[in-house]
Amino acid sequence: MITIEQIKSSEAIRTYIEKEDESLRALGFTEHSFTHVGRVSIMARNILLQLGYPARDAELAEIAGYLHDIGNIVNRTDHAQSGAVMAFRILDNMGADPAEIATIITAIGNHDEGTAVAVNPITAALILADKTDVRASRVRNTDIKSFDIHDRVNYSVKRSDLDINKDKNEIELKLQIDTDFCSVMDYFEIFLARMILCRKAAERLGLRFRLSVNGQILL
């Protein structure tokens, strides 16, 4: 049985994460390195644990979260699919169970909003964890004057929390943003497709997705 500790201690996996982030840095994208994949990994696990899913399902979501962006080393375009193929080879060589490999690569291959479908709870948890990781520390451009809209939106986020309310069957992304850098309309311009995907992922988990910005419920 492959564990998250084995995944994190793999030198090959660490190299692939470092190199995919190098490529995205060169392209001007936000941070996709160990901080991002670590946060996504933990959040995907915690979503399922809070909802009462088996611990092994939660660990598979954690593994998928840690591996989900390695396909960017091939190309940003279709990185979910190339990442799923890479993960298959890695996990197969590590002796992982075929059924568990299938679950992990399904989640990875369905996490990006261009082609994503929340086909199962592990995929849904990965989508929610990935698409709600919005924060100022992901911005790597140090010249505020040259920020594009993606930089402004991420830089404006001073606090981001994803909370589950099981009594109301809701999952809420709570953002505190600095409107000097980004308007609420800017946020929706960039993230509308992601929020729609989050809504569908939440529904797959039997939840209603809500978004609040500076205390105001928007979705």
Side-chain angles (χ1 to χ4, degrees):
M1 182 183 295
I2 297 298
T3 67
I4 186 62
E5 287 76 20
Q6 288 175 277
I7 297 298
K8 289 182 176 180
S9 64
S10 166
E11 190 60 36
I13 290 171
R14 291 188 62 83
T15 299
Y16 298 147
I17 292 172
E18 289 171 355
K19 294 301 183 181
E20 60 90 359
D21 189 53
E22 282 182 16
S23 294
L24 293 182
R25 181 189 292 271
L27 292 169
F29 281 84
T30 52
E31 179 265 324
H32 283 71
S33 190
F34 296 103
T35 302
H36 173 62
V37 300
R39 288 171 65 104
V40 170
S41 179
I42 292 169
M43 182 60 71
R45 177 197 69 194
N46 288 346
I47 288 170
L48 293 186
L49 288 178
Q50 288 181 61
L51 293 174
Y53 284 87
R56 186 55 182 165
D57 284 0
E59 186 168 27
L60 294 180
E62 191 173 7
I63 292 170
Y66 203 79
L67 296 175
H68 79 281
D69 267 339
I70 58 173
N72 284 300
I73 199 172
V74 178
N75 197 289
R76 178 63 178 172
T77 301
D78 296 328
H79 75 278
Q81 288 73 38
S82 55
V85 174
M86 288 178 65
F88 167 79
R89 183 178 183 278
I90 293 167
L91 294 168
D92 188 47
N93 286 343
M94 293 176 75
D97 175 75
E100 293 192 341
I101 293 175
T103 298
I104 292 166
I105 65 175
T106 294
I108 295 171
N110 278 282
H111 85 270
D112 190 60
E113 59 263 29
T115 53
V117 180
V119 294
N120 58 44
I122 290 170
T123 304
L126 174 57
I127 288 170
L128 285 164
D130 182 39
K131 301 311 171 190
T132 58
D133 185 22
V134 187
R135 51 190 162 81
S137 57
R138 293 193 72 185
V139 178
R140 295 191 280 209
N141 183 357
T142 58
D143 182 8
I144 293 177
K145 293 181 180 178
S146 68
F147 276 6
D148 63 13
I149 190 169
H150 292 86
D151 291 331
R152 292 200 312 272
V153 168
N154 280 279
Y155 193 78
S156 73
V157 178
K158 303 308 177 186
R159 184 178 176 88
S160 173
D161 297 296
L162 188 64
D163 295 333
I164 294 176
N165 186 326
K166 289 193 290 185
D167 292 336
K168 294 184 176 180
N169 292 323
E170 291 181 348
I171 185 167
E172 181 178 347
L173 175 60
K174 299 178 180 178
L175 299 178
Q176 290 292 325
I177 70 172
D178 183 345
T179 53
D180 288 338
F181 287 100
C182 163
S183 69
V184 174
M185 185 60 71
D186 285 338
Y187 181 88
F188 272 102
E189 180 180 343
I190 296 300
F191 288 115
L192 180 58
R194 298 183 191 186
M195 295 300 97
I196 292 172
L197 181 56
C198 284
R199 185 193 71 198
K200 294 178 179 178
E203 289 172 354
R204 183 65 182 81
L205 295 170
L207 302 171
R208 177 184 177 187
F209 180 73
R210 307 203 67 164
L211 169 68
S212 64
V213 178
N214 294 349
Q216 298 294 314
I217 297 292
L218 301 180
L219 287 176

